[in-house]
Amino acid sequence: MLAQEPLELTYTGNMGVLIHDQKTAILIDGLHKEYQAAYLFPPPALTNQLINGQKGIPAISLLLNTHFHRDHFDEALSAQFLQKNPTASFIGSQQAVDLIGEASDQLQQRLIAIPYEDYQKRQFAFTGFSVKAFKMDHVNPTRHHAVQNLGFIINIDGLKILHIGDSHWYEDIQLFEKVKMMDENIDVAILPYWMLLSEKDKEQLNQYIHPEYLIATHIPPDLSEADAKAIWRIFPNAILFQALGQTLHVERG
Protein backbone atom coordinates (compact mmCIF):
# COMPACT_ATOMS: atom_id res chain seq x y z
CA MET A 1 0.00 0.00 0.00
CA LEU A 2 1.29 3.44 -0.93
CA ALA A 3 1.93 5.88 1.89
CA GLN A 4 -0.57 8.72 2.22
CA GLU A 5 0.36 12.29 1.50
CA PRO A 6 1.44 14.11 4.67
CA LEU A 7 -1.04 16.24 6.58
CA GLU A 8 -0.05 19.90 6.73
CA LEU A 9 -0.53 22.24 9.68
CA THR A 10 0.11 25.88 8.79
CA TYR A 11 0.36 28.76 11.24
CA THR A 12 -1.98 31.71 10.64
CA GLY A 13 -1.30 33.82 13.75
CA ASN A 14 -1.54 33.55 17.56
CA MET A 15 -3.25 30.12 17.97
CA GLY A 16 -4.58 29.97 14.43
CA VAL A 17 -3.81 26.76 12.51
CA LEU A 18 -4.94 25.61 9.07
CA ILE A 19 -5.04 21.80 8.86
CA HIS A 20 -5.27 20.23 5.42
CA ASP A 21 -4.40 17.44 3.06
CA GLN A 22 -5.41 17.12 -0.60
CA LYS A 23 -9.08 16.52 0.25
CA THR A 24 -9.84 18.32 3.51
CA ALA A 25 -9.18 21.71 5.09
CA ILE A 26 -10.10 22.85 8.61
CA LEU A 27 -9.29 26.21 10.21
CA ILE A 28 -8.98 26.69 13.98
CA ASP A 29 -8.90 30.17 15.56
CA GLY A 30 -7.73 31.57 12.25
CA LEU A 31 -10.03 34.54 11.55
CA HIS A 32 -9.23 37.54 13.72
CA LYS A 33 -7.84 41.04 13.31
CA GLU A 34 -5.04 43.09 14.83
CA TYR A 35 -5.75 43.34 18.54
CA GLN A 36 -2.71 43.97 20.75
CA ALA A 37 1.04 43.86 20.20
CA ALA A 38 1.35 40.62 22.18
CA TYR A 39 -0.75 38.68 19.63
CA LEU A 40 0.34 37.87 16.11
CA PHE A 41 -2.58 38.16 13.68
CA PRO A 42 -3.29 37.21 10.06
CA PRO A 43 -2.85 40.29 7.84
CA PRO A 44 -5.67 41.20 5.43
CA ALA A 45 -4.03 39.41 2.50
CA LEU A 46 -3.88 36.13 4.42
CA THR A 47 -7.41 36.58 5.77
CA ASN A 48 -8.60 37.09 2.20
CA GLN A 49 -6.95 33.83 1.15
CA LEU A 50 -8.50 31.94 4.06
CA ILE A 51 -11.95 33.25 3.19
CA ASN A 52 -11.75 33.02 -0.59
CA GLY A 53 -9.48 30.00 -1.02
CA GLN A 54 -5.83 29.32 -1.73
CA LYS A 55 -4.32 27.65 -4.76
CA GLY A 56 -3.43 24.03 -4.09
CA ILE A 57 -5.48 23.80 -0.88
CA PRO A 58 -9.05 22.44 -0.69
CA ALA A 59 -11.78 24.86 0.30
CA ILE A 60 -12.07 25.09 4.08
CA SER A 61 -15.15 23.11 5.09
CA LEU A 62 -15.10 23.78 8.84
CA LEU A 63 -14.28 26.69 11.12
CA LEU A 64 -13.45 25.76 14.71
CA ASN A 65 -13.20 28.43 17.39
CA THR A 66 -12.00 27.84 20.94
CA HIS A 67 -13.41 31.07 22.40
CA PHE A 68 -14.51 34.58 21.51
CA HIS A 69 -11.48 36.62 22.60
CA ARG A 70 -10.29 39.02 19.91
CA ASP A 71 -6.92 37.31 19.44
CA HIS A 72 -8.81 34.14 18.43
CA PHE A 73 -12.06 35.29 16.83
CA ASP A 74 -13.85 37.94 14.81
CA GLU A 75 -17.57 37.50 14.20
CA ALA A 76 -17.70 39.65 11.07
CA LEU A 77 -14.89 37.72 9.39
CA SER A 78 -16.47 34.42 10.46
CA ALA A 79 -19.82 35.48 8.99
CA GLN A 80 -18.09 36.64 5.82
CA PHE A 81 -16.37 33.27 5.50
CA LEU A 82 -19.61 31.33 5.93
CA GLN A 83 -21.39 33.52 3.39
CA LYS A 84 -18.58 32.98 0.89
CA ASN A 85 -18.47 29.21 1.59
CA PRO A 86 -22.12 28.05 1.69
CA THR A 87 -21.33 24.40 2.49
CA ALA A 88 -19.00 25.18 5.41
CA SER A 89 -19.94 24.95 9.09
CA PHE A 90 -18.82 26.63 12.32
CA ILE A 91 -18.34 24.97 15.71
CA GLY A 92 -17.71 27.10 18.77
CA SER A 93 -19.04 28.29 22.08
CA GLN A 94 -22.53 29.68 22.52
CA GLN A 95 -20.87 33.05 23.10
CA ALA A 96 -19.18 32.97 19.68
CA VAL A 97 -22.26 31.58 17.92
CA ASP A 98 -24.39 34.39 19.35
CA LEU A 99 -21.96 36.99 18.05
CA ILE A 100 -21.96 35.52 14.53
CA GLY A 101 -25.75 35.38 14.65
CA GLU A 102 -25.80 39.08 15.43
CA ALA A 103 -23.51 39.69 12.45
CA SER A 104 -25.72 37.61 10.12
CA ASP A 105 -28.99 35.96 11.11
CA GLN A 106 -29.00 33.97 7.85
CA LEU A 107 -26.29 31.56 9.03
CA GLN A 108 -27.98 29.96 12.03
CA GLN A 109 -28.39 26.50 10.47
CA ARG A 110 -24.61 26.18 10.02
CA LEU A 111 -23.62 27.37 13.52
CA ILE A 112 -23.03 24.62 16.08
CA ALA A 113 -22.80 25.73 19.74
CA ILE A 114 -21.15 23.41 22.26
CA PRO A 115 -22.87 23.14 25.66
CA TYR A 116 -20.68 24.33 28.52
CA GLU A 117 -22.34 22.83 31.59
CA ASP A 118 -20.18 19.69 31.64
CA TYR A 119 -16.99 18.15 30.22
CA GLN A 120 -18.72 15.68 27.92
CA LYS A 121 -17.22 15.35 24.45
CA ARG A 122 -19.60 16.06 21.58
CA GLN A 123 -18.66 14.29 18.34
CA PHE A 124 -19.46 15.44 14.81
CA ALA A 125 -18.85 13.53 11.59
CA PHE A 126 -17.95 15.28 8.34
CA THR A 127 -16.82 14.02 4.97
CA GLY A 128 -13.31 12.65 5.49
CA PHE A 129 -12.90 13.54 9.17
CA SER A 130 -14.58 13.87 12.56
CA VAL A 131 -14.34 16.35 15.43
CA LYS A 132 -14.81 16.09 19.18
CA ALA A 133 -15.55 19.32 21.02
CA PHE A 134 -15.53 19.80 24.78
CA LYS A 135 -15.18 22.28 27.63
CA MET A 136 -11.59 23.26 28.58
CA ASP A 137 -11.49 25.94 31.27
CA HIS A 138 -9.78 29.20 30.29
CA VAL A 139 -6.49 30.09 31.95
CA ASN A 140 -6.61 32.67 34.78
CA PRO A 141 -10.14 31.88 36.00
CA THR A 142 -10.19 34.84 38.40
CA ARG A 143 -10.21 37.15 35.41
CA HIS A 144 -11.76 34.89 32.75
CA HIS A 145 -14.21 32.71 34.68
CA ALA A 146 -17.09 33.72 32.38
CA VAL A 147 -15.27 32.82 29.15
CA GLN A 148 -16.38 29.61 27.44
CA ASN A 149 -13.15 28.02 26.17
CA LEU A 150 -13.30 24.81 24.13
CA GLY A 151 -10.93 22.03 23.17
CA PHE A 152 -11.09 20.11 19.90
CA ILE A 153 -9.80 16.75 18.72
CA ILE A 154 -9.76 16.44 14.93
CA ASN A 155 -9.50 12.89 13.56
CA ILE A 156 -8.39 12.65 9.94
CA ASP A 157 -7.85 9.07 8.76
CA GLY A 158 -7.01 8.00 12.31
CA LEU A 159 -4.55 10.80 12.97
CA LYS A 160 -5.67 12.87 15.98
CA ILE A 161 -4.90 16.56 16.44
CA LEU A 162 -5.60 18.31 19.75
CA HIS A 163 -6.15 22.07 20.15
CA ILE A 164 -7.22 23.44 23.55
CA GLY A 165 -7.26 27.21 23.09
CA ASP A 166 -6.28 29.25 26.14
CA SER A 167 -6.39 26.47 28.72
CA HIS A 168 -3.88 25.24 31.31
CA TRP A 169 -3.01 22.07 33.21
CA TYR A 170 -5.34 22.93 36.11
CA GLU A 171 -4.26 20.23 38.54
CA ASP A 172 -6.71 21.46 41.16
CA ILE A 173 -9.76 20.52 39.06
CA GLN A 174 -8.13 17.54 37.31
CA LEU A 175 -9.18 18.99 33.98
CA PHE A 176 -7.43 16.49 31.72
CA GLU A 177 -8.87 13.62 33.71
CA LYS A 178 -12.36 15.10 33.45
CA VAL A 179 -12.12 15.07 29.65
CA LYS A 180 -10.47 11.61 29.68
CA MET A 181 -7.57 12.83 27.58
CA MET A 182 -5.49 9.78 28.47
CA ASP A 183 -7.84 7.63 26.33
CA GLU A 184 -7.49 9.68 23.16
CA ASN A 185 -4.03 8.68 21.83
CA ILE A 186 -3.25 12.16 20.52
CA ASP A 187 -0.74 12.39 17.66
CA VAL A 188 -0.36 16.19 17.47
CA ALA A 189 -0.88 18.53 20.42
CA ILE A 190 -1.29 22.28 19.80
CA LEU A 191 -0.82 24.04 23.15
CA PRO A 192 -0.27 27.60 24.39
CA TYR A 193 3.40 28.13 25.18
CA TRP A 194 2.75 28.82 28.89
CA MET A 195 1.92 25.13 29.35
CA LEU A 196 5.48 24.17 28.36
CA LEU A 197 7.77 26.12 30.68
CA SER A 198 8.64 23.72 33.51
CA GLU A 199 9.59 20.15 34.30
CA LYS A 200 6.18 19.76 35.95
CA ASP A 201 4.61 20.65 32.60
CA LYS A 202 6.61 17.84 31.02
CA GLU A 203 5.25 15.38 33.58
CA GLN A 204 1.70 16.53 32.84
CA LEU A 205 2.20 16.28 29.09
CA ASN A 206 3.60 12.76 29.33
CA GLN A 207 0.86 11.67 31.70
CA TYR A 208 -2.15 13.00 29.85
CA ILE A 209 -1.26 13.51 26.18
CA HIS A 210 2.14 12.11 25.17
CA PRO A 211 1.91 13.32 21.55
CA GLU A 212 4.28 12.43 18.76
CA TYR A 213 4.31 16.07 17.63
CA LEU A 214 4.14 19.07 19.97
CA ILE A 215 3.36 22.57 18.72
CA ALA A 216 3.69 25.65 20.94
CA THR A 217 1.43 28.58 20.00
CA HIS A 218 0.13 31.87 21.42
CA ILE A 219 3.78 32.96 21.39
CA PRO A 220 4.19 36.76 21.68
CA PRO A 221 6.47 38.41 19.13
CA ASP A 222 8.70 39.51 22.02
CA LEU A 223 8.93 36.09 23.70
CA SER A 224 11.63 36.34 26.34
CA GLU A 225 14.89 34.54 25.79
CA ALA A 226 14.42 32.78 29.13
CA ASP A 227 11.04 31.34 28.10
CA ALA A 228 12.33 30.26 24.70
CA LYS A 229 15.29 28.49 26.31
CA ALA A 230 13.01 26.83 28.86
CA ILE A 231 10.79 25.35 26.16
CA TRP A 232 13.73 24.09 24.10
CA ARG A 233 15.44 22.65 27.17
CA ILE A 234 12.39 20.80 28.47
CA PHE A 235 10.85 19.93 25.09
CA PRO A 236 13.74 19.77 22.60
CA ASN A 237 11.48 18.41 19.84
CA ALA A 238 8.78 21.05 20.23
CA ILE A 239 7.85 23.14 17.20
CA LEU A 240 7.38 26.81 18.05
CA PHE A 241 4.86 28.42 15.70
CA GLN A 242 6.11 32.00 15.48
CA ALA A 243 6.18 32.92 11.78
CA LEU A 244 3.09 33.29 9.61
CA GLY A 245 2.98 30.48 7.08
CA GLN A 246 5.21 28.21 9.14
CA THR A 247 4.18 24.63 8.32
CA LEU A 248 4.51 21.25 9.96
CA HIS A 249 4.23 18.18 7.69
CA VAL A 250 2.85 15.23 9.61
CA GLU A 251 3.69 11.92 7.97
CA ARG A 252 1.00 9.26 7.73
CA GLY A 253 1.44 5.53 7.17
Side-chain angles (χ1 to χ4, degrees), residues 4-9 18-28 61-62 64 126-132 153-162 187-188 250-253:
Q4 292 178 288
E5 291 292 323
L7 194 69
E8 295 188 10
L9 286 76
L18 175 64
I19 302 168
H20 78 90
D21 57 17
Q22 296 303 308
K23 301 175 294 182
T24 300
I26 303 157
L27 181 63
I28 308 176
S61 59
L62 180 65
L64 298 175
F126 298 90
T127 302
F129 66 97
S130 65
V131 173
K132 292 179 181 178
I153 298 172
I154 303 100
N155 187 329
I156 303 178
D157 295 328
L159 192 147
K160 293 184 178 182
I161 302 165
L162 171 69
D187 297 289
V188 183
V250 179
E251 297 296 334
R252 299 184 286 181

Side-chain angles (χ1 to χ4, degrees), residues 84-128:
K84 182 70 176 180
N85 298 271
T87 62
S89 300
F90 175 95
I91 301 178
S93 68
Q94 187 66 59
Q95 293 170 335
V97 164
D98 288 346
L99 287 170
I100 297 176
E102 291 174 6
S104 175
D105 59 7
Q106 300 175 344
L107 301 173
Q108 292 294 338
Q109 69 276 13
R110 290 190 281 139
L111 303 176
I112 301 171
I114 302 303
Y116 208 68
E117 68 272 10
D118 58 44
Y119 294 90
Q120 177 183 339
K121 297 189 183 81
R122 273 76 179 182
Q123 184 159 332
F124 305 89
F126 298 90
T127 302

